[in-house]
């Protein structure tokens, strides 16, 4: 736009200055290197004066230039044309500048309204898709087939139940696009409410049937509904015509959860919906997905399920976030997904996260919590003992050194397990004191002990604090 104005008047420069709430006005010019502070004091005064003039009234009294003020979504914009030497600014020029400024102001307001509408639409889409925060141990990915929509007919959900169990749902409505998204949002909300009421997958799907037959477009939707106990790994589940979930054990063995299957939603039947149970073993990965991830033209569905199973097997020692990315990227067709895709991963048990005061009396409860978590991970007792000792040393150092100048501080311990490794981080807000073995030969051995017990030890210091990373290999 500015370049066009410069060419129209054969100007030496054109600039647009927006006077808003910021400390300095925003400047856009045909010279990209120019900022507000680079303008001369006289030019800044001219622009400020133009700001006070009536809107859409061109002014050409300034020597060598003409300007006009117009409405901008962020305040008032001043458009200034710096004319070539001896170039007059005629009455026709003033009329043309006012006309162009009016169109520009209308265009800016329309763009602002479109941006606001887009942000509102995206916020609503995100709200109907699923929870913004997931329970510990979960990762999700979502890819709608229809752009620029952020949602389609597929969905995922996690519902924390009053007794501490977690409802997990992945569903797929017929079709995609905006119409399927509106049906999906209603089914997701209904399923969430039913799970909170019954906490039984088969009963939830039975009740969802009655809702689906009254909702246009919901018939033949498929749903996998489960209730997971994160403490024990027990999973109760029921499937309404949905592809089977995949459980990959730490040793690479894979199991398809193909029990508890029945018809899609809204399809009449006299038989009750069945339920099934499965005990997710330690360090195993559970994968729920929609058929857009595995279904390909001229290929059986089983071929896609085999491919995604292999992908999870190969990535069982990755973090869940890394695994989710790898599965989505590795399963994507050459031209991208042509159907909606929802993917949900869970690794049992979920990671341990503890925040505790930097006080020595807190070490015993932390050690107890870590011991219980390692047992749920199925870690060999000798390896678990090494981890407990190393983590205890790291926590003690964080309390003693990291918070010696901040006694009211906190320490964070995070632990996560993959198929072959246990990863821990201990974070404090301070800086460790440099060891002085000559001053006290009986101190400063904590790091050496950690390195002797762990496969890998890292210590990262910075102005925000110190992070100790511990990694232990799990023998097979």
């Amino acid at each position: 736009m500015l370049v066009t104005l410069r060419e129209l008047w054969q100007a030496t420069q054109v600039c647009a200055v927006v006077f808003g709430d910021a400390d300095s006005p925003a400047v856009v010019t045909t010279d990209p290197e120019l900022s507000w502070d680079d303008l001369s004091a006289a030019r800044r005064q001219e622009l400020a004066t133009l700001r006070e003039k009536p809107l859409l009234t061109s002014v050409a009294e300034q020597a060598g230039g003409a300007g006009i003020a117009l409405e901008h979504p962020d305040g008032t914009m001043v458009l200034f044309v710096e004319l070539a030497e001896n170039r007059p600014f005629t009455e026709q020029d003033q009329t043309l500048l006012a006309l162009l400024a009016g169109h520009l102001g209308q265009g800016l307001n329309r763009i602002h309204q479109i941006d606001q509408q887009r942000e509102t639409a995206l916020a609503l889409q995100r709200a109907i898709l699923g929870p913004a925060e997931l329970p510990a141990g979960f990762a999700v990915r979502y890819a709608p087939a229809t752009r620029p929509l952020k949602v389609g007919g597929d969905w995922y959900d996690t519902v924390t139940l009053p007794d501490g169990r977690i409802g997990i749902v992945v569903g797929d409505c017929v079709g995609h696009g905006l119409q399927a998204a509106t049906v999906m949002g209603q089914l997701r909300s209904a399923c969430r409410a039913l799970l909170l009421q019954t906490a039984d997958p088969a009963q939830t799907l039975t009740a969802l049937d009655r809702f689906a037959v009254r909702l246009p477009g919901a018939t033949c939707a498929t749903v996998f509904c489960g209730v997971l106990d994160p403490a024990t790994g027990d999973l109760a589940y029921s499937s309404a015509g949905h592809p089977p979930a995949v459980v990959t054990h730490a040793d690479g063995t894979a199991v398809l959860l193909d029990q508890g299957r029945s018809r899609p939603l809204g399809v009449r039947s006299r038989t009750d919906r069945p339920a099934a149970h499965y005990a997710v073993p330690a360090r195993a990965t559970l994968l729920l997905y929609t058929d857009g991830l595995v279904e390909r033209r001229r290929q059986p569905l089983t071929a896609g399920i085999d491919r995604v199973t292999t992908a999870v097997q190969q990535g069982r020692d990755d973090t869940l976030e890394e695994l989710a990315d790898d599965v989505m990227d590795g399963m994507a067709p050459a031209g991208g997904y042509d159907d909606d895709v929802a993917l949900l991963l869970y690794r049992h048990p979920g990671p341990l996260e503890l925040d505790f005061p930097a006080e020595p009396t807190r070490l015993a409860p932390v050690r107890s919590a870590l011991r219980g978590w390692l047992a749920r991970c199925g870690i060999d007792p000798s390896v678990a003992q090494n981890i407990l000792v190393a983590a205890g040393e790291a926590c003690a150092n964080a309390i003693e050194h990291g918070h010696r100048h901040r006694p009211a501080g906190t320490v964070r311990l995070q632990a996560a397990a993959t198929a072959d490794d246990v990863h821990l981080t201990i974070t404090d807000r301070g800086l460790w004191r440099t060891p002085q073995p000559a001053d006290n030969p009986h101190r400063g051995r904590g790091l050496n002990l950690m390195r002797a017990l762990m496969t890998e030890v890292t210590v990262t210091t910075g102005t925000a604090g110190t992070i100790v990373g511990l990694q232990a290999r799990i023998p097979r």
Side-chain angles (χ1 to χ4, degrees), residues 282-361:
R283 307 195 313 282
T285 302
L286 169 68
L287 167 68
L288 307 182
Y289 56 94
T290 55
D291 60 8
L293 183 71
V294 296
E295 193 171 40
R296 300 292 178 267
R297 292 186 179 91
R298 296 182 295 277
Q299 292 183 15
L301 187 63
T302 53
I305 295 174
D306 290 342
R307 284 183 58 217
V308 78
T309 300
T310 300
V312 177
Q313 289 171 324
Q314 293 174 344
R316 64 187 186 277
D317 204 39
D318 295 338
T319 67
L320 273 189
E321 294 296 328
E322 292 171 340
L323 179 58
D325 288 336
D326 290 344
V327 170
M328 288 293 286
D329 293 341
M331 294 296 294
Y337 291 107
D338 57 6
D339 193 7
D340 303 326
V341 175
L343 174 154
L344 184 146
L345 287 165
Y346 168 75
R347 183 167 287 153
H348 180 70
L352 177 68
E353 295 185 359
L354 297 174
D355 291 302
F356 57 95
E359 301 171 359
T361 56

Coordinates of all heavy atoms in Angstrom, one line a residue, residues 282-361:
A282 N 3.4 -52.6 34.1 CA 4.4 -51.5 34.3 C 5.2 -51.2 33.1 O 5.6 -52.1 32.3 CB 5.3 -52.0 35.5
R283 N 5.3 -49.9 32.8 CA 6.1 -49.3 31.7 C 5.5 -49.7 30.4 O 6.2 -49.6 29.4 CB 7.6 -49.7 31.8 CG 8.2 -49.3 33.2 CD 9.7 -49.4 33.2 NE 10.3 -50.5 32.5 CZ 10.4 -51.7 33.1 NH1 9.9 -51.9 34.3 NH2 11.0 -52.7 32.4
A284 N 4.3 -50.1 30.3 CA 3.6 -50.4 29.0 C 3.0 -49.1 28.5 O 2.7 -48.1 29.3 CB 2.5 -51.4 29.2
T285 N 2.8 -49.0 27.2 CA 2.2 -47.8 26.6 C 0.8 -48.2 26.0 O 0.7 -49.2 25.2 CB 3.1 -47.3 25.5 OG1 4.4 -47.0 26.1 CG2 2.5 -46.0 24.9
L286 N -0.2 -47.4 26.3 CA -1.5 -47.6 25.7 C -1.8 -46.6 24.7 O -1.6 -45.4 24.9 CB -2.6 -47.5 26.9 CG -4.0 -47.4 26.5 CD1 -4.5 -48.7 25.9 CD2 -4.9 -47.0 27.7
L287 N -2.3 -47.1 23.5 CA -2.5 -46.2 22.4 C -4.0 -46.3 22.0 O -4.5 -47.4 21.7 CB -1.7 -46.5 21.2 CG -2.1 -45.9 19.8 CD1 -1.9 -44.4 19.8 CD2 -1.3 -46.6 18.7
L288 N -4.7 -45.2 22.0 CA -6.1 -45.1 21.5 C -6.0 -44.1 20.3 O -5.2 -43.2 20.3 CB -7.1 -44.5 22.5 CG -7.2 -45.2 23.9 CD1 -8.2 -44.5 24.7 CD2 -7.5 -46.6 23.7
Y289 N -6.8 -44.4 19.2 CA -6.7 -43.6 18.0 C -8.0 -43.7 17.2 O -8.9 -44.6 17.5 CB -5.6 -44.2 17.1 CG -5.7 -45.7 16.9 CD1 -6.3 -46.1 15.7 CD2 -5.3 -46.6 17.8 CE1 -6.5 -47.5 15.5 CE2 -5.5 -48.0 17.6 CZ -6.1 -48.4 16.4 OH -6.3 -49.7 16.2
T290 N -8.2 -42.9 16.2 CA -9.3 -43.0 15.3 C -8.8 -43.6 14.0 O -7.6 -43.6 13.7 CB -10.0 -41.6 15.1 OG1 -9.0 -40.7 14.6 CG2 -10.6 -41.1 16.4
D291 N -9.8 -44.0 13.1 CA -9.4 -44.8 11.9 C -8.6 -43.9 10.9 O -7.9 -44.4 10.0 CB -10.6 -45.4 11.3 CG -11.6 -44.4 10.9 OD1 -11.4 -43.2 10.9 OD2 -12.7 -44.9 10.5
G292 N -8.7 -42.6 11.0 CA -7.9 -41.7 10.1 C -6.4 -41.9 10.2 O -5.7 -41.7 9.3
L293 N -6.0 -42.4 11.4 CA -4.5 -42.7 11.6 C -4.1 -43.9 10.8 O -2.9 -44.0 10.3 CB -4.2 -42.9 13.1 CG -2.8 -43.1 13.5 CD1 -2.0 -41.8 13.3 CD2 -2.6 -43.5 14.9
V294 N -4.9 -44.9 10.7 CA -4.5 -46.2 10.1 C -5.2 -46.7 8.8 O -4.7 -47.6 8.2 CB -4.7 -47.3 11.2 CG1 -3.9 -47.1 12.4 CG2 -6.2 -47.4 11.6
E295 N -6.3 -46.0 8.5 CA -7.0 -46.4 7.3 C -6.5 -45.8 6.0 O -6.2 -44.6 6.0 CB -8.5 -46.0 7.5 CG -9.4 -46.7 6.5 CD -10.9 -46.5 6.8 OE1 -11.2 -45.3 7.2 OE2 -11.7 -47.4 6.7
R296 N -6.2 -46.7 5.0 CA -5.7 -46.2 3.7 C -6.4 -46.9 2.6 O -6.9 -48.0 2.7 CB -4.2 -46.5 3.6 CG -3.3 -45.9 4.6 CD -3.2 -44.4 4.5 NE -2.4 -43.8 5.6 CZ -2.9 -43.4 6.7 NH1 -4.2 -43.5 7.0 NH2 -2.1 -42.9 7.6
R297 N -6.6 -46.2 1.5 CA -7.3 -46.7 0.3 C -6.6 -48.0 -0.2 O -5.3 -48.1 -0.2 CB -7.4 -45.7 -0.8 CG -8.2 -44.5 -0.5 CD -8.4 -43.6 -1.7 NE -9.3 -42.5 -1.4 CZ -8.8 -41.3 -1.0 NH1 -7.5 -41.1 -0.7 NH2 -9.7 -40.3 -0.7
R298 N -7.4 -49.0 -0.5 CA -6.9 -50.2 -1.1 C -6.0 -51.0 -0.2 O -5.1 -51.8 -0.6 CB -6.2 -50.0 -2.5 CG -7.1 -49.4 -3.5 CD -6.4 -49.2 -4.9 NE -5.4 -48.2 -4.8 CZ -5.6 -46.9 -4.9 NH1 -6.9 -46.5 -5.1 NH2 -4.6 -46.0 -4.8
Q299 N -6.1 -50.8 1.1 CA -5.3 -51.5 2.1 C -6.3 -51.9 3.2 O -7.2 -51.2 3.6 CB -4.2 -50.7 2.7 CG -3.1 -50.4 1.8 CD -1.9 -49.6 2.5 OE1 -1.9 -49.6 3.7 NE2 -1.0 -49.0 1.7
P300 N -6.1 -53.2 3.7 CA -7.0 -53.6 4.9 C -6.6 -52.8 6.1 O -5.5 -52.3 6.3 CB -6.6 -55.1 5.0 CG -5.2 -55.2 4.5 CD -5.2 -54.2 3.3
L301 N -7.7 -52.6 7.0 CA -7.5 -51.8 8.2 C -6.4 -52.5 9.1 O -5.6 -51.8 9.8 CB -8.8 -51.7 8.9 CG -8.8 -50.8 10.2 CD1 -8.5 -49.4 9.8 CD2 -10.1 -50.9 10.9
T302 N -6.3 -53.8 9.0 CA -5.3 -54.5 9.9 C -3.9 -54.1 9.5 O -3.0 -54.1 10.4 CB -5.5 -56.0 9.7 OG1 -5.5 -56.4 8.3 CG2 -6.8 -56.5 10.3
A303 N -3.7 -53.8 8.2 CA -2.3 -53.4 7.8 C -1.9 -52.1 8.5 O -0.8 -51.9 9.0 CB -2.2 -53.2 6.3
G304 N -2.9 -51.1 8.6 CA -2.6 -49.9 9.3 C -2.4 -50.1 10.8 O -1.5 -49.4 11.4
I305 N -3.2 -51.0 11.4 CA -3.0 -51.2 12.8 C -1.7 -51.9 13.1 O -1.0 -51.6 14.1 CB -4.2 -52.1 13.3 CG1 -5.5 -51.4 13.2 CG2 -3.9 -52.6 14.7 CD1 -6.7 -52.2 13.5
D306 N -1.2 -52.8 12.2 CA 0.1 -53.4 12.3 C 1.2 -52.3 12.3 O 2.2 -52.4 13.0 CB 0.3 -54.5 11.3 CG -0.5 -55.7 11.5 OD1 -1.0 -55.9 12.6 OD2 -0.7 -56.5 10.5
R307 N 1.0 -51.4 11.3 CA 2.1 -50.3 11.2 C 2.2 -49.5 12.4 O 3.3 -49.1 12.9 CB 1.7 -49.5 10.0 CG 2.0 -50.1 8.6 CD 1.7 -49.1 7.5 NE 2.5 -47.9 7.6 CZ 2.0 -46.7 7.3 NH1 0.8 -46.5 6.9 NH2 2.8 -45.6 7.5
V308 N 1.0 -49.0 13.0 CA 1.1 -48.2 14.1 C 1.6 -48.9 15.4 O 2.2 -48.4 16.2 CB -0.3 -47.5 14.4 CG1 -1.3 -48.4 15.1 CG2 -0.1 -46.2 15.2
T309 N 1.2 -50.2 15.4 CA 1.8 -51.0 16.5 C 3.3 -51.1 16.5 O 4.0 -51.0 17.5 CB 1.2 -52.5 16.5 OG1 -0.3 -52.4 16.6 CG2 1.7 -53.3 17.6
T310 N 3.8 -51.3 15.3 CA 5.3 -51.3 15.1 C 5.9 -50.0 15.5 O 7.0 -49.9 16.1 CB 5.6 -51.7 13.7 OG1 5.1 -52.9 13.3 CG2 7.1 -51.7 13.4
A311 N 5.2 -48.9 15.1 CA 5.8 -47.6 15.5 C 5.9 -47.4 17.0 O 6.8 -46.8 17.5 CB 4.9 -46.5 14.9
V312 N 4.8 -47.8 17.7 CA 4.9 -47.7 19.2 C 5.9 -48.6 19.8 O 6.6 -48.3 20.7 CB 3.5 -48.0 19.8 CG1 3.5 -47.9 21.3 CG2 2.5 -47.0 19.2
Q313 N 6.1 -49.8 19.2 CA 7.1 -50.7 19.7 C 8.5 -50.1 19.5 O 9.3 -50.2 20.4 CB 7.0 -52.1 18.9 CG 5.8 -52.9 19.3 CD 5.7 -54.1 18.3 OE1 5.9 -54.0 17.1 NE2 5.2 -55.2 18.9
Q314 N 8.7 -49.5 18.4 CA 10.0 -48.9 18.2 C 10.3 -47.7 19.0 O 11.5 -47.4 19.3 CB 10.2 -48.6 16.7 CG 10.2 -49.8 15.7 CD 10.2 -49.4 14.3 OE1 9.8 -48.2 13.9 NE2 10.5 -50.3 13.4
G315 N 9.3 -47.0 19.5 CA 9.4 -45.8 20.3 C 9.1 -46.0 21.7 O 8.9 -45.0 22.4
R316 N 9.1 -47.2 22.2 CA 8.7 -47.4 23.6 C 9.7 -46.9 24.6 O 9.4 -46.8 25.8 CB 8.4 -48.9 23.9 CG 9.6 -49.8 23.7 CD 9.2 -51.3 23.9 NE 10.3 -52.2 23.9 CZ 10.9 -52.7 22.8 NH1 10.5 -52.3 21.6 NH2 11.9 -53.5 23.0
D317 N 10.9 -46.5 24.2 CA 11.9 -45.9 25.1 C 12.0 -44.4 24.9 O 12.8 -43.8 25.5 CB 13.3 -46.6 24.9 CG 14.1 -46.4 26.2 OD1 13.6 -46.5 27.3 OD2 15.3 -46.1 26.1
D318 N 11.1 -43.9 24.0 CA 11.0 -42.4 23.9 C 10.1 -41.8 25.0 O 9.3 -42.6 25.6 CB 10.5 -42.0 22.5 CG 11.4 -42.4 21.4 OD1 12.6 -42.6 21.7 OD2 10.9 -42.6 20.2
T319 N 10.2 -40.5 25.2 CA 9.1 -39.9 26.0 C 7.8 -39.9 25.3 O 7.8 -40.1 24.0 CB 9.5 -38.4 26.3 OG1 9.5 -37.7 25.1 CG2 10.9 -38.3 26.9
L320 N 6.7 -39.8 26.0 CA 5.4 -39.8 25.4 C 5.2 -38.7 24.3 O 4.6 -39.0 23.2 CB 4.3 -39.7 26.4 CG 3.8 -41.0 27.1 CD1 2.6 -40.7 27.9 CD2 3.6 -42.1 26.1
E321 N 5.7 -37.5 24.6 CA 5.6 -36.5 23.6 C 6.4 -36.8 22.3 O 5.9 -36.5 21.2 CB 6.1 -35.1 24.2 CG 5.2 -34.6 25.4 CD 3.8 -34.3 24.9 OE1 3.7 -33.9 23.8 OE2 2.9 -34.4 25.7
E322 N 7.6 -37.3 22.5 CA 8.4 -37.7 21.3 C 7.7 -38.8 20.6 O 7.6 -38.8 19.3 CB 9.8 -38.2 21.8 CG 10.7 -37.1 22.3 CD 11.9 -37.6 22.9 OE1 12.0 -38.8 23.3 OE2 12.9 -36.9 23.1
L323 N 7.1 -39.8 21.3 CA 6.4 -40.9 20.6 C 5.2 -40.4 19.9 O 4.9 -40.8 18.8 CB 6.1 -41.9 21.7 CG 5.3 -43.2 21.2 CD1 6.1 -43.9 20.1 CD2 5.0 -44.1 22.3
A324 N 4.4 -39.5 20.5 CA 3.3 -39.0 19.8 C 3.6 -38.3 18.5 O 3.0 -38.5 17.5 CB 2.5 -38.0 20.7
D325 N 4.7 -37.5 18.5 CA 5.1 -36.8 17.3 C 5.6 -37.8 16.2 O 5.3 -37.7 15.0 CB 6.3 -35.9 17.6 CG 5.8 -34.6 18.3 OD1 4.6 -34.3 18.2 OD2 6.7 -34.0 19.0
D326 N 6.4 -38.8 16.7 CA 6.9 -39.8 15.7 C 5.7 -40.6 15.1 O 5.8 -41.0 13.9 CB 7.9 -40.8 16.4 CG 9.1 -40.1 16.8 OD1 9.4 -39.0 16.3 OD2 9.9 -40.6 17.7
V327 N 4.7 -41.0 15.9 CA 3.6 -41.8 15.3 C 2.8 -41.0 14.3 O 2.5 -41.4 13.2 CB 2.7 -42.3 16.5 CG1 1.4 -42.9 15.9 CG2 3.4 -43.3 17.3
M328 N 2.5 -39.7 14.7 CA 1.8 -38.9 13.7 C 2.6 -38.6 12.4 O 2.0 -38.7 11.3 CB 1.5 -37.5 14.4 CG 0.4 -37.6 15.4 SD -1.3 -38.0 14.8 CE -1.7 -36.5 14.0
D329 N 3.9 -38.4 12.6 CA 4.7 -38.1 11.4 C 4.9 -39.4 10.6 O 4.8 -39.4 9.3 CB 6.1 -37.6 11.8 CG 5.9 -36.2 12.4 OD1 4.9 -35.5 12.2 OD2 6.9 -35.7 13.1
G330 N 5.2 -40.5 11.3 CA 5.5 -41.8 10.6 C 4.3 -42.4 9.9 O 4.4 -43.1 8.9
M331 N 3.0 -42.1 10.4 CA 1.8 -42.7 9.8 C 1.2 -41.8 8.8 O 0.3 -42.3 8.1 CB 0.8 -43.0 10.9 CG 1.2 -44.0 11.9 SD 1.4 -45.7 11.2 CE -0.3 -46.0 10.7
A332 N 1.7 -40.6 8.6 CA 1.0 -39.7 7.7 C 1.3 -40.1 6.3 O 2.4 -40.4 5.9 CB 1.6 -38.2 7.9
P333 N 0.3 -40.1 5.4 CA 0.5 -40.4 4.0 C 1.3 -39.2 3.3 O 1.5 -38.2 3.9 CB -0.9 -40.4 3.4 CG -1.8 -40.5 4.6 CD -1.1 -39.9 5.7
A334 N 1.8 -39.5 2.1 CA 2.7 -38.6 1.4 C 2.0 -37.2 1.3 O 2.6 -36.1 1.4 CB 3.1 -39.1 0.1
G335 N 0.7 -37.2 1.0 CA 0.0 -35.9 0.8 C -0.7 -35.4 2.0 O -1.5 -34.4 2.0
G336 N -0.4 -36.0 3.2 CA -1.0 -35.6 4.4 C -2.3 -36.3 4.7 O -2.8 -37.0 3.8
Y337 N -2.8 -36.3 5.9 CA -4.0 -37.0 6.3 C -5.2 -36.4 5.6 O -5.4 -35.2 5.5 CB -4.2 -36.9 7.8 CG -3.2 -37.6 8.6 CD1 -2.2 -37.0 9.4 CD2 -3.3 -39.0 8.7 CE1 -1.3 -37.7 10.1 CE2 -2.3 -39.7 9.5 CZ -1.4 -39.1 10.2 OH -0.4 -39.8 10.9
D338 N -6.0 -37.3 5.0 CA -7.2 -36.8 4.3 C -8.5 -37.2 5.1 O -9.6 -37.0 4.7 CB -7.4 -37.5 2.9 CG -7.3 -39.0 3.0 OD1 -7.3 -39.6 4.1 OD2 -7.3 -39.6 1.9
D339 N -8.3 -37.6 6.4 CA -9.4 -37.8 7.3 C -8.9 -37.2 8.7 O -7.7 -37.1 8.9 CB -9.7 -39.3 7.4 CG -11.0 -39.5 8.1 OD1 -11.7 -38.5 8.4 OD2 -11.4 -40.7 8.4
D340 N -9.9 -36.9 9.5 CA -9.6 -36.4 10.9 C -8.8 -37.5 11.6 O -9.1 -38.7 11.4 CB -10.9 -36.1 11.6 CG -11.7 -35.0 10.9 OD1 -11.1 -34.2 10.3 OD2 -12.9 -35.1 11.0
V341 N -7.9 -37.1 12.5 CA -7.1 -38.0 13.3 C -7.0 -37.5 14.7 O -6.7 -36.4 15.0 CB -5.7 -38.1 12.7 CG1 -4.8 -39.0 13.6 CG2 -5.7 -38.7 11.3
A342 N -7.4 -38.4 15.6 CA -7.2 -38.2 17.1 C -6.3 -39.3 17.6 O -6.6 -40.5 17.3 CB -8.5 -38.1 17.8
L343 N -5.4 -39.0 18.5 CA -4.5 -40.0 19.0 C -4.3 -39.7 20.5 O -4.1 -38.5 20.9 CB -3.1 -39.9 18.3 CG -1.9 -40.8 18.7 CD1 -1.0 -41.0 17.5 CD2 -1.1 -40.0 19.8
L344 N -4.4 -40.7 21.3 CA -4.2 -40.6 22.8 C -3.2 -41.6 23.3 O -3.4 -42.8 23.0 CB -5.5 -40.6 23.5 CG -5.5 -40.4 25.0 CD1 -6.7 -39.6 25.5 CD2 -5.3 -41.7 25.8
L345 N -2.2 -41.3 24.0 CA -1.2 -42.2 24.5 C -1.2 -42.1 26.1 O -1.3 -41.0 26.6 CB 0.2 -41.9 24.0 CG 0.5 -42.2 22.5 CD1 1.8 -41.5 22.1 CD2 0.7 -43.7 22.3
Y346 N -0.9 -43.2 26.7 CA -0.8 -43.3 28.1 C 0.3 -44.3 28.5 O 0.4 -45.4 27.9 CB -2.1 -43.7 28.9 CG -1.8 -44.0 30.3 CD1 -1.6 -43.0 31.3 CD2 -1.9 -45.3 30.8 CE1 -1.4 -43.3 32.6 CE2 -1.7 -45.7 32.1 CZ -1.4 -44.7 33.0 OH -1.2 -45.0 34.3
R347 N 1.2 -43.9 29.4 CA 2.2 -44.9 29.8 C 2.1 -45.1 31.3 O 2.0 -44.1 32.1 CB 3.7 -44.3 29.5 CG 4.8 -45.3 29.9 CD 6.1 -44.9 29.3 NE 6.1 -45.1 27.8 CZ 6.8 -44.4 27.0 NH1 7.6 -43.4 27.4 NH2 6.8 -44.7 25.7
H348 N 2.1 -46.4 31.7 CA 1.8 -46.7 33.1 C 3.1 -47.1 33.8 O 3.9 -47.9 33.3 CB 0.8 -47.9 33.2 CG 0.5 -48.3 34.5 ND1 -0.3 -47.5 35.4 CD2 0.8 -49.4 35.2 CE1 -0.4 -48.2 36.6 NE2 0.3 -49.3 36.5
P349 N 3.3 -46.5 35.1 CA 2.5 -45.5 35.7 C 2.8 -44.1 35.2 O 3.9 -44.0 34.5 CB 2.8 -45.6 37.2 CG 4.2 -46.1 37.1 CD 4.4 -47.0 35.9
G350 N 2.0 -43.2 35.4 CA 2.3 -41.8 35.0 C 3.5 -41.3 35.8 O 4.0 -41.9 36.8
P351 N 4.1 -40.2 35.3 CA 5.3 -39.6 36.0 C 5.0 -39.2 37.4 O 3.9 -38.8 37.8 CB 5.7 -38.5 35.1 CG 4.5 -38.1 34.4 CD 3.7 -39.4 34.2
L352 N 6.0 -39.2 38.2 CA 5.9 -38.7 39.6 C 6.4 -37.3 39.6 O 7.5 -36.9 39.1 CB 6.8 -39.6 40.5 CG 6.9 -39.2 42.0 CD1 5.6 -39.4 42.7 CD2 8.0 -39.9 42.7
E353 N 5.6 -36.4 40.3 CA 6.0 -35.0 40.4 C 5.7 -34.6 41.9 O 4.6 -34.7 42.4 CB 5.2 -34.1 39.5 CG 5.5 -34.4 38.0 CD 4.7 -33.4 37.1 OE1 4.0 -32.6 37.6 OE2 4.9 -33.5 35.9
L354 N 6.8 -34.2 42.5 CA 6.7 -33.8 43.9 C 7.3 -32.4 44.1 O 8.5 -32.2 43.7 CB 7.5 -34.8 44.8 CG 6.9 -36.2 44.9 CD1 7.9 -37.1 45.7 CD2 5.5 -36.3 45.5
D355 N 6.6 -31.5 44.7 CA 7.1 -30.2 45.2 C 7.1 -30.2 46.7 O 6.1 -30.4 47.3 CB 6.3 -29.0 44.7 CG 6.4 -28.9 43.2 OD1 7.5 -28.7 42.7 OD2 5.4 -29.0 42.5
F356 N 8.3 -30.0 47.3 CA 8.3 -30.0 48.8 C 9.2 -28.9 49.3 O 10.1 -28.5 48.7 CB 8.8 -31.4 49.3 CG 10.2 -31.8 48.7 CD1 11.3 -31.6 49.4 CD2 10.3 -32.4 47.5 CE1 12.6 -32.0 48.9 CE2 11.5 -32.8 47.0 CZ 12.7 -32.6 47.7
P357 N 9.0 -28.5 50.6 CA 9.8 -27.4 51.2 C 11.2 -27.9 51.3 O 11.5 -29.1 51.5 CB 9.1 -27.2 52.6 CG 7.8 -27.8 52.4 CD 7.8 -28.9 51.5
A358 N 12.1 -26.9 51.2 CA 13.6 -27.2 51.3 C 14.0 -27.4 52.8 O 14.7 -26.6 53.3 CB 14.4 -26.1 50.6
E359 N 13.5 -28.5 53.3 CA 13.7 -28.8 54.7 C 14.2 -30.3 54.9 O 13.6 -31.1 54.2 CB 12.5 -28.6 55.6 CG 11.9 -27.1 55.5 CD 10.6 -27.0 56.1 OE1 10.0 -28.1 56.6 OE2 10.0 -25.9 56.2
P360 N 15.2 -30.5 55.7 CA 15.7 -31.9 55.8 C 14.6 -32.9 56.3 O 14.6 -34.1 55.9 CB 16.8 -31.8 56.8 CG 17.3 -30.4 56.7 CD 16.0 -29.6 56.4
T361 N 13.6 -32.4 57.0 CA 12.6 -33.3 57.6 C 11.7 -33.8 56.4 O 10.9 -34.8 56.7 CB 11.7 -32.6 58.6 OG1 11.2 -31.4 58.0 CG2 12.5 -32.2 59.8

